[in-house]
Amino acid sequence: MQALVSCRGDDDIRPRGGRKLSDLGDAGIFLSLAPRVDVFFPPLKRTRVSAPFIPQDWEMLGSRCKQMCSLNALSDECLLEILKRVDGDRERSVAACVSKRWLTLLGTTNISMVPLTAPPSSKSGALCGEQQQPKKRLPDLNETAKDEIDEDEEEEPIPLENCDKRPSRCLEGKAATDVRLLALAIGTGGQGGVGELSIRADGSSRRVTDVGLGAVARSSPSLRVLSLWNTPYITDKGLSQIANRCPLLEKLDLSRCPQITDKGISAIAMNCARLSSLTIESCPMVGNDCLWAVGHFCPKLRSVSLTDLALVGDKGVGSLLSSSSSSLRKISLRRLSITDLSLAVVGHYGKATVKLIFADLPNVTERGLWVMGCARGLQQLKSLTIISSGATDLGLEAVAKGCPLLKQLSLQRCTHLSDSGLRKLSAAAASLEILQLEECNLITLPGVAGALLTFSARFRSLSLVRCLGFRDVESYPESLPLHSSLKSLSIRQCPGFGNSGLAFVGKLCRQLRRISLSVLPGVSDAGLLSLSKGCKLGLVKVNLGGCVNVTDAAVAALAKRHGGTLQALDLGGCTMVTDESLLAISDSCFLLQDVDVSKSAITDAGVAALASGVGLNLRILSVSGCPDISARSLVHLSNLCPSLVGLNLQLCDLLTGHDIASFQSKMGQCDVLS
């Protein structure tokens, strides 16, 4: 019942127990503040209050309502109940595109292992004996018509044994993130996941963690190859998930992973018995314990590469080699703190080893190589690379005698190797075919000549790189014994090597087919002509890159004498080569397929002559850095070179983007670098 209000007139309002209000505007203010107000309004007058009625904390309440209306307000349990009712892995993959939270939830939870709570209607239908009809899959708007026709044909999952059919994925740079890995896990999980995964992160931010790697582990039980490069936030937890869920892993490559320790690699070794290749580089927390586990639990291990591991010593290398001696075929040890003891273990237990690499081992001396060779255990060794690791004349001779099947030897920065040691090495290595000497500064040209005469008939390739001890010979006998087996000769960046040395080599080696004379300022036309005259079988590949004193005369003579066999010619950086050389090449070299005339003095006329002469066989051409090349050259190439697949047009200032685009439209098969 309404309270009593004392009213003396139509315009008077009096609240209960209060003062008289003669103005209705004051009454409106009073109404908005008082908790209980009894008023009387005249029937013919109504006061309109202009101020809105806004409750306290209304804005906060509105924003809270908006948040409650969002799907993100649902708990993970509710979202799981929703996603469990999405039939099929493909549909779940499409649903994961809704938000990153859904993607993370699907990637970190195995939906197929979560029991589905049946709704009441399905239970009642089952009790009544009603047969449940399969629900039709909702259409995917991203599908094509062909996909909709073939959707009824179910794809049979690939069994774990057929791992070679699994797809491979590579995430590099900014694309290497947890979100990408989660999407990859969901998208490929229905068919057994991926077979090969390579992650090459930039390491600048927290992009790849154990969350993404764990999702891949759960979705790819048939993973065979895993490569992690520069992933500072991957820990033993992520690697353990790979070990527990990917038993078919065969190849593991870890580089610059600072949080991975012996625990993670030991888990891989104990759970992945098929592991055949292991590469660990710049992982500062990896030590000897994991190498012991790998040696004992991986009987199929074939290749191991250890680089820049400060905690790895003789104990770890010894336990690894002694346990897996029957299977290990390739060993690479770089920048380690091992001593001569490890090389002795290699020489004793490396019975199946065919390839060895020792690089930057400061604690290894001449004694280590000598003991390794005298152990007589490397009977199957075919390739040996030694980079600045205590190589001397005595040690290399012992290695050559202890490895009867050695075919390829590379010696880099071996500053103690002399001409005498090289001759003893050539006499002891009866099966040697390929020799590379790089930065061996005590080696001279007479020492190389003596070694060539001592090598067996199997020797066929010699490479000399940055050997500062080379000097031009002033005189040599007119009649020299011939080395009939050498087919390939490469001399690069040896500043003391000149024309007389080249002529000496030409008289000594008459069966050359491939020569590479790169960045030799002392070589000119005279030396090149002497060498080309001595090659009786015909040159197939010639590289004169960086020989700035070679002119058109030498190129013309080379083309005339060896044009019937020449297939590749590199004149890059020969600044004195002009169109005359290309004219001579077009007249004689009909089999030429690869030509490099970058940074030379050629013009459009030379390119036109080359295209008209050898255009049918020409596949690769480089005119980079030639300032006189214009669109006319592209017209000749497009009309006369149908087999062209590679063209380098960098630093050709006369060419425009329109010219290159027009050429590419005509030569769709050609890869243009501009």
Side-chain angles (χ1 to χ4, degrees):
M1 181 177 177
Q2 212 173 20
L4 296 177
V5 177
S6 176
C7 183
R8 296 182 180 180
D10 294 338
D11 297 328
D12 293 338
I13 297 177
R14 182 186 298 274
R16 181 180 60 188
R19 64 183 177 86
K20 176 182 176 180
L21 299 175
S22 59
D23 190 2
L24 292 179
D26 295 338
I29 298 175
F30 178 75
L31 287 173
S32 64
L33 298 176
R36 293 184 59 189
V37 178
D38 293 332
V39 299
F40 171 77
F41 290 100
L44 299 179
K45 282 189 177 182
R46 176 173 295 178
T47 302
R48 178 174 296 174
V49 181
S50 60
F53 180 74
I54 302 176
Q56 189 177 4
D57 297 334
W58 175 261
E59 295 181 356
M60 185 179 299
L61 180 62
S63 61
R64 189 176 303 169
C65 291
K66 292 181 180 179
Q67 292 179 0
M68 294 301 293
C69 294
S70 174
L71 288 176
N72 291 330
L74 297 176
S75 63
D76 291 346
E77 291 77 8
C78 294
L79 285 179
L80 275 178
E81 288 295 329
I82 296 174
L83 296 175
K84 282 190 300 184
R85 286 165 171 76
V86 179
D87 297 331
D89 297 312
R90 186 177 184 181
E91 286 74 12
R92 288 177 186 149
S93 177
V94 175
C97 298
V98 174
S99 68
K100 289 185 179 181
R101 185 186 173 201
W102 289 32
L103 181 66
T104 304
L105 190 61
L106 277 175
T108 55
T109 306
N110 194 349
I111 299 293
S112 60
M113 299 300 294
V114 181
L116 178 62
T117 304
S121 59
S122 63
K123 292 181 180 180
S124 60
L127 292 175
C128 297
E130 297 178 0
Q131 186 176 2
Q132 298 290 331
Q133 297 294 332
K135 295 181 180 180
K136 186 178 180 180
R137 182 175 66 87
L138 295 177
D140 185 3
L141 299 180
N142 295 323
E143 294 177 346
T144 61
K146 184 179 183 301
D147 295 333
E148 294 177 358
I149 295 175
D150 299 338
E151 67 181 359
D152 294 334
E153 300 179 3
E154 297 181 357
E155 298 181 0
E156 296 182 359
I158 304 174
L160 295 180
E161 290 77 7
N162 299 333
C163 301
D164 295 336
K165 299 180 181 180
R166 307 289 182 190
S168 60
R169 296 291 185 270
C170 180
L171 304 180
E172 296 185 4
K174 295 182 179 180
T177 61
D178 277 346
V179 175
R180 290 290 184 93
L181 290 177
L182 291 171
L184 174 65
I186 296 171
T188 61
Q191 294 299 319
V194 296
E196 298 182 10
L197 177 61
S198 176
I199 302 175
R200 301 179 64 86
D202 53 10
S204 59
S205 61
R206 193 181 181 89
R207 297 180 179 273
V208 179
T209 64
D210 295 333
V211 175
L213 191 61
V216 173
R218 285 186 292 272
S219 65
S220 304
S222 58
L223 185 67
R224 295 183 299 108
V225 179
L226 177 62
S227 178
L228 302 177
W229 187 83
N230 199 13
T231 53
Y233 299 103
I234 296 293
T235 66
D236 293 336
K237 180 180 179 182
L239 210 58
S240 298
Q241 294 185 66
I242 293 290
N244 295 329
R245 297 178 180 269
C246 305
L248 303 182
L249 189 68
E250 298 178 2
K251 183 178 179 180
L252 179 62
D253 187 351
L254 304 175
S255 178
R256 299 176 64 182
C257 301
Q259 295 197 49
I260 290 180
T261 67
D262 291 338
K263 181 179 178 181
I265 300 177
S266 298
I268 292 288
M270 290 185 288
N271 292 276
C272 303
R274 296 189 178 187
L275 189 67
S276 60
S277 177
L278 176 64
T279 300
I280 308 175
E281 179 180 355
S282 300
C283 297
M285 302 300 292
V286 174
N288 296 324
D289 295 340
C290 67
L291 298 182
W292 179 89
V294 170
H296 281 74
F297 295 105
C298 300
K300 296 184 177 181
L301 190 66
R302 297 291 184 271
S303 174
V304 61
S305 177
L306 307 176
T307 304
D308 194 15
L309 304 176
L311 300 182
V312 171
D314 293 331
K315 180 180 179 181
V317 174
S319 61
L320 172 65
L321 298 178
S322 61
S323 302
S324 57
S325 59
S326 60
S327 62
L328 205 55
R329 298 177 61 83
K330 297 180 181 180
I331 302 174
S332 176
L333 305 176
R334 301 172 181 264
R335 299 195 296 275
L336 302 178
S337 300
I338 60 176
T339 64
D340 296 335
L341 180 60
S342 293
L343 268 66
V345 174
V346 171
H348 183 74
Y349 289 101
K351 299 177 181 179
T353 304
V354 297
K355 185 176 182 180
L356 266 178
I357 299 177
F358 299 136
D360 299 317
L361 305 176
N363 298 327
V364 172
T365 64
E366 176 188 73
R367 182 181 179 185
L369 289 175
W370 183 82
V371 173
M372 185 181 73
C374 294
R376 304 286 179 173
L378 299 173
Q379 297 296 310
Q380 303 297 323
L381 186 66
K382 297 180 180 180
S383 176
L384 174 62
T385 299
I386 301 177
I387 304 175
S388 183
S389 298
T392 61
D393 297 345
L394 181 62
L396 290 175
E397 183 183 3
V399 169
K401 292 180 179 179
C403 305
L405 299 182
L406 186 63
K407 295 182 178 181
Q408 183 174 352
L409 178 61
S410 177
L411 303 176
Q412 303 177 27
R413 301 201 303 272
C414 297
T415 57
H416 298 289
L417 178 63
S418 65
D419 291 341
S420 175
L422 184 60
R423 283 193 295 268
K424 294 179 180 179
L425 172 66
S426 61
S431 301
L432 193 64
E433 299 178 3
I434 301 173
L435 176 62
Q436 178 183 358
L437 301 177
E438 181 174 348
E439 296 185 27
C440 299
N441 296 328
L442 295 182
I443 300 297
T444 64
L445 185 57
V448 172
L452 286 176
L453 298 176
T454 311
F455 278 121
S456 67
R458 297 182 180 182
F459 189 73
R460 55 186 175 84
S461 178
L462 175 63
S463 176
L464 306 171
V465 182
R466 292 190 293 274
C467 294
L468 303 182
F470 273 28
R471 296 290 184 272
D472 246 356
V473 292
E474 297 180 356
S475 62
Y476 52 88
E478 291 295 332
S479 60
L480 291 174
L482 301 180
H483 189 275
S484 59
S485 63
L486 189 66
K487 299 296 188 297
S488 177
L489 175 64
S490 176
I491 304 176
R492 292 181 293 161
Q493 301 180 23
C494 298
F497 192 80
N499 290 330
S500 58
L502 199 58
F504 176 66
V505 172
K507 287 185 174 293
L508 190 63
C509 306
R510 300 292 183 91
Q511 308 297 321
L512 287 175
R513 303 298 302 274
R514 298 174 180 84
I515 61 172
S516 177
L517 307 174
S518 300
V519 196
L520 299 177
V523 172
S524 62
D525 294 348
L528 189 59
L529 290 174
S530 300
L531 178 64
S532 63
K533 290 180 181 179
C535 301
K536 302 299 183 181
L537 295 181
L539 295 174
V540 176
K541 184 176 180 180
V542 177
N543 180 7
L544 301 176
C547 295
V548 294
N549 293 320
V550 173
T551 66
D552 294 331
V555 177
L558 182 67
K560 184 177 181 180
R561 183 176 295 273
H562 302 280
T565 57
L566 195 61
Q567 298 179 6
L569 177 61
D570 187 351
L571 300 174
C574 299
T575 56
M576 302 180 67
V577 170
T578 65
D579 293 339
E580 297 295 331
S581 296
L582 295 185
L583 289 173
I585 291 172
S586 63
D587 292 337
S588 305
C589 305
F590 301 107
L591 300 179
L592 198 60
Q593 299 180 2
D594 188 348
V595 179
D596 187 351
V597 286
S598 58
K599 298 180 180 179
S600 63
I602 66 168
T603 64
D604 294 333
V607 175
L610 181 67
S612 62
V614 299
L616 293 178
N617 296 321
L618 190 63
R619 296 179 58 83
I620 300 175
L621 175 63
S622 176
V623 292
S624 172
C626 298
D628 296 326
I629 297 297
S630 67
R632 293 177 54 191
S633 296
L634 299 184
V635 174
H636 293 298
L637 292 175
S638 60
N639 293 333
L640 301 176
C641 302
S643 302
L644 194 65
V645 295
L647 179 61
N648 188 351
L649 300 175
Q650 289 181 316
L651 303 177
C652 295
D653 298 333
L654 297 182
L655 293 175
T656 64
H658 176 73
D659 298 334
I660 297 175
S662 178
F663 175 79
Q664 287 180 321
S665 64
K666 297 178 182 179
M667 304 284 289
Q669 82 283 357
C670 184
D671 186 11
V672 179
L673 185 61
S674 61

